Amino acid sequence: MNPHLPARWLPAGAAAALLAAALFGAGTPLAKVLLAGISPWMLAGLLYLGSGLGLATLRLMRQAPPAHLQAGEWSWLAGAVMMGGVVGPVLLMFGLTAMPASGAALLLNAEGVFTALLAWFVFRENFDLRIALGMLTIVAGAVVLSWPGQAKFGALWPALAVLGACLAWGVDNNLTRKVSLADATWVAMVKGLAAGSMNLTIALTLGAPLPSMGVLAGAAILGFLSYGISLALFVVALRHLGTARTGAYFSVAPFFGAVLAVLILDEPVTSTLLVAGGLMGLGVWLHIIERHVHTHGHLPLEHEHEHEHDVHHYHHPLGDPAPVRHTHRHRHDPMTHSHEHYPDEHHRHSH
């Protein structure tokens, strides 16, 4: 273990991923309450817009500096917005209109699987047996939680549409990882504004009426918290953990939603909820106890992102102190060393 990198009981980024899951999962039962007075597509548009406008207001209040993307990163962000904000919701709505909700709920668990498979086999993110088992255990818990007793999937094409939506969101997660070093609130703001505008336009085109001011305000606040803040935290987790591990932590979101439903909707505590919670807890524990250490090399790299001084960032002249967190363009010199690490942006090496 490198002495410059202290051991952590919780991996860097894991707390952000779990909090993102809690906020997103809590949004499900609250959105269910709002659906009584609004169409599903209109609600999706307002939630995304609420996230984007809320984060824009937050950045304005904080006087956040302008964000910058590296050369070539705009295409990654555009692809993430298109896949996650347009293709995914369109395919999901197509599937939901022609298949029972029970089958769709089970199929939606495929998002975590697609996210991990793409990260591991397309984007070459490292993993081992413990991480794979942790991912499978979390997904198993999500399946148990959403199992309706008798799953009804309907015709083949609607089911394929829902799976296509999950694949689109898996691609979105992996493309967002490509821009995760940028300001997280800015990335989430751009995705929220773009996806919200597109979904709201589609909803209005299909004839969906605007809701009452109360529902409108509720959707905006819910979107800011469950989509905006949640997505910003998700981006932070991607920065530290890589895509597959972040997706695994985030997959516990349905459990947080189920717990909140027990608290605010007076739903019963069932054996299914307890079993699902146990499986998800086991999966998260398998990820938390991961200790990935080996000798690895860093190639020369020059980029700009928010950072603090550690063994990978030490470029200020001696005697020139820097703030704890700061942003500027800097260069990483070639280096070979050994320490505990995760597949973050500075550790994309092969194994």
Side-chain angles (χ1 to χ4, degrees):
M1 173 73 75
N2 192 299
H4 295 286
L5 298 176
R8 300 173 184 265
W9 72 271
L10 192 66
L18 290 172
L19 184 54
L23 287 171
F24 186 76
T28 301
L30 296 176
K32 183 177 180 180
V33 175
L34 292 174
L35 272 174
I38 189 173
S39 73
W41 213 314
M42 176 65 72
L43 180 58
L46 292 177
L47 289 173
Y48 279 116
L49 267 183
S51 72
L53 292 174
L55 289 172
T57 302
L58 179 63
R59 289 179 57 80
L60 187 62
M61 293 174 59
R62 292 173 50 202
Q63 298 182 330
H68 300 283
L69 291 183
Q70 303 297 310
E73 288 184 341
W74 280 104
S75 59
W76 297 120
L77 181 58
V81 170
M82 180 60 64
M83 297 302 292
V86 181
V87 176
V90 168
L91 288 174
L92 177 61
M93 293 301 165
F94 175 78
L96 287 177
T97 57
M99 73 178 299
S102 61
L106 290 177
L107 290 177
L108 285 172
N109 292 309
E111 178 186 347
V113 177
F114 283 133
T115 296
L117 292 178
L118 288 169
W120 293 338
F121 298 109
V122 176
F123 293 92
R124 300 299 180 182
E125 191 170 292
N126 73 74
F127 70 101
D128 56 21
L129 181 60
R130 178 189 289 111
I131 292 301
L133 286 176
M135 183 73 215
L136 289 175
T137 306
I138 292 171
V139 171
V143 170
V144 168
L145 191 61
S146 59
W147 186 261
Q150 181 180 0
K152 298 179 180 179
F153 292 95
L156 177 62
W157 287 112
L160 290 178
V162 174
L163 287 175
C166 293
L167 178 59
W169 286 320
V171 173
D172 170 23
N173 293 336
N174 279 276
L175 295 184
T176 301
R177 200 277 304 163
K178 294 284 190 178
V179 297
S180 61
L181 288 182
D183 188 308
T185 58
W186 181 83
V187 172
M189 179 193 74
V190 170
K191 294 184 71 175
L193 291 174
S197 300
M198 294 176 186
N199 282 287
L200 187 60
T201 300
I202 294 173
L204 293 173
T205 301
L206 294 176
L210 286 172
S212 65
M213 287 302 298
V215 174
L216 192 64
I221 295 172
L222 181 60
F224 171 61
L225 295 173
S226 292
Y227 283 64
I229 299 298
S230 176
L231 179 55
L233 290 167
F234 186 85
V235 173
V236 171
L238 286 173
R239 182 184 303 162
H240 291 285
L241 296 171
T243 313
R245 289 162 178 79
T246 300
Y249 285 112
F250 193 76
S251 294
V252 305
F255 178 74
F256 289 113
V259 170
L260 188 62
V262 170
L263 297 176
I264 69 172
L265 300 180
D266 200 28
E267 295 187 3
V269 177
T270 63
S271 58
T272 296
L273 178 60
L274 296 176
V275 171
L279 286 170
M280 289 181 172
L282 175 61
V284 169
W285 178 75
L286 287 172
H287 278 249
I288 287 176
I289 64 173
E290 178 192 15
R291 294 294 179 264
H292 184 75
V293 183
H294 63 88
T295 300
H296 58 277
H298 294 272
L299 296 175
L301 175 65
E302 186 173 335
H303 59 180
E304 179 180 342
H305 66 91
E306 186 181 39
H307 62 279
E308 60 188 36
H309 284 181
D310 55 26
V311 70
H312 299 101
H313 299 92
Y314 48 84
H315 33 263
H316 280 276
L318 187 64
D320 180 17
V324 175
R325 302 291 297 177
H326 59 289
T327 302
H328 62 86
R329 191 162 190 84
H330 57 275
R331 176 181 173 81
H332 294 271
D333 295 323
M335 177 190 297
T336 299
H337 60 177
S338 175
H339 63 88
E340 182 179 325
H341 61 279
Y342 300 93
D344 57 31
E345 201 59 36
H346 296 94
H347 297 92
R348 305 294 298 177
H349 50 265
S350 59
H351 289 75

